[in-house]
Amino acid sequence: MLYVTDEIAINDWELSESFMRASGPGGQNVNKVSSAVELRFEAARSPALSDPVKARLKRIAGRRWTTEGAIVLQCDETRSQARNREIIRARLVELIARALVAPKRRVATKPTKGSVRRRLDAKKARGEVKSLRGKVADE
């Protein structure tokens, strides 16, 4: 079980981990040890998440969301497989926690009459200054 909040816990059948060799520097270790972790979370089929949360999670996940409705995360930051597993699970928890927060609805407002009048007066004054610039005509 992966606990996100007190109410939300991800079951083990929803998560699958695969291990592969990490890319980049590391000497012989990188050629011998499969320390990189790929975590797959079946988000679309998860009973722990509600539909609005799944929709927000899909938007937040972006390219990491597959056509089957799974989130695929990878980590090869450290040389330790266990540490990479901890990092990737923490990232998944953080991703789901971000999706749990519903965005605040924007309340449409209108500018006050006074602010509209002040803006138009300022524009008029600036236009007056600009119109006085230029060549002086001979009389």
Side-chain angles (χ1 to χ4, degrees):
M1 293 283 276
L2 182 65
Y3 294 97
V4 180
T5 63
D6 293 336
E7 297 85 30
I8 297 176
I10 307 299
N11 292 316
D12 290 333
W13 66 264
E14 299 174 70
L15 300 173
S16 62
E17 293 175 334
S18 59
F19 305 99
M20 60 215 145
R21 290 193 202 121
S23 61
Q28 267 192 337
N29 186 65
V30 80
N31 297 327
K32 295 191 304 187
V33 181
S34 297
S35 61
V37 181
E38 181 180 270
L39 180 72
R40 186 177 176 92
F41 169 53
E42 301 296 333
R45 297 188 298 142
S46 177
L49 304 176
S50 63
D51 288 336
V53 172
K54 288 178 188 176
R56 286 193 295 270
L57 188 58
K58 182 177 181 179
R59 193 183 77 247
I60 292 170
R63 288 178 39 206
R64 296 172 289 194
W65 186 277
T66 65
T67 53
E68 299 90 37
I71 294 177
V72 178
L73 302 171
Q74 289 182 337
C75 180
D76 61 352
E77 290 177 14
T78 66
R79 293 175 61 167
S80 165
Q81 188 184 84
R83 181 71 186 120
N84 283 336
R85 285 182 72 195
E86 290 173 14
I87 291 170
I88 207 70
R89 283 173 173 258
R91 279 189 198 157
L92 179 64
V93 167
E94 190 264 331
L95 204 67
I96 295 170
R98 278 179 44 205
L100 289 173
V101 179
K104 289 174 71 175
R105 303 242 342 158
R106 185 189 181 281
V107 179
T109 59
K110 290 167 78 174
T112 62
K113 275 188 177 178
S115 67
V116 171
R117 187 173 22 80
R118 283 191 299 273
R119 182 180 63 86
L120 293 176
D121 289 345
K123 282 173 69 90
K124 231 175 252 171
R126 189 73 188 144
E128 188 69 31
V129 168
K130 288 186 172 189
S131 68
L132 294 174
R133 290 183 189 155
K135 293 183 179 177
V136 178
D138 289 333
E139 291 181 30

